[in-house]
Amino acid sequence: MTRYAIGDVQGCYDELQTLIARLHFSADRDQIYFVGDLVNRGPASLQVLRFVRSLGDNAVVVLGNHDLHLLAVVHGVRRNRRSDTLDDVLTAPDRDALLDWLITRPMAHTYTNRDGRADLMVHAGLVPQWTVGMTLTLAREVESALRKDPARVFDHMYGDEPDRWSDGLAETDRLRFTINVLTRLRVCTVDGRVDLKWKGKPPLSNSPYQPWFDLEQRESRDARIIFGHWSALGFVRRNGVVGLDSGCVWGGSLTSFDLDTDRPPITVACGGYQLPDD
């Protein structure tokens, strides 16, 4: 069995199929780990959802911010944005089955690699204070809340506060902060203060805000972390992390990485469907 991780697909179905063909992926033998954002901005979110769901246990998916946005739209908490490309999903005859499947995907996933060490997959990142175990505990809290009362979660999900982790956060703030970190984080400070509006290249070295994975004090350094969400970085492999968002929907590429070998990543060039703004 070979395990591949693939970066943010965002509705780029043709590129996904081309990449999978290049991997010589076999559904009866291999697994694909998707770092989130299966949908939105690209032209074929419906086809992507149908395909990934059809892989069954051979696909492992964590939820990204665009996946959660789709679910929030479905539950009437948010409206389609001008840049959204979700209408094909919202009007599909199998919409309910697809969305029932999507909402049960985890916020974080861990597995043991061939070296016997833990890998952790999230869409965006972790604050320095979170261990892998704490991250999984917080992720499970969000997943449980989504299953119990999704509309309530989505109703309170949007917003950038609190901007710093504390064990004493109230339930609503705790859920919002967890979702923000796991699906939106790019930069933070040593003491765990986040700037969720940061886009583009990393801050200068003298800024208190740095890429979350470059902070030497982070408690998650005992695991390799697989993530996406930061297209301006392209492929990243350093400090015990692998970043896979190479900006397919923006005209970059769709990237895959063999999780169990040291082979170079395999990429497929993308024509681009949106102008970069997020």
Side-chain angles (χ1 to χ4, degrees), residues 76-151:
V77 175
R78 274 294 191 268
R79 294 183 179 180
N80 262 338
R81 299 171 297 201
R82 184 173 57 182
S83 58
D84 288 341
T85 58
L86 299 171
D87 288 346
D88 57 345
V89 178
L90 299 174
T91 59
D94 53 345
R95 154 188 150 151
D96 290 346
L98 292 170
L99 298 176
D100 287 347
W101 169 82
L102 185 64
I103 203 171
T104 60
R105 297 310 92 194
M107 298 292 299
H109 176 77
T110 189
Y111 64 93
T112 302
N113 62 35
R114 289 183 180 174
D115 294 331
R117 299 182 62 192
D119 282 1
L120 176 70
M121 182 170 68
V122 297
H123 178 61
L126 286 69
V127 288
Q129 291 73 25
W130 289 1
T131 64
V132 170
M134 184 184 301
T135 301
L136 291 170
T137 296
L138 293 168
R140 299 296 96 87
E141 289 178 7
V142 174
E143 293 158 18
S144 177
L146 283 172
R147 288 165 174 77
K148 182 179 179 180
D149 192 350

Side-chain angles (χ1 to χ4, degrees), residues 52 80 99 157 211 228 267:
V52 176
N80 262 338
L99 298 176
M157 180 177 73
T267 65

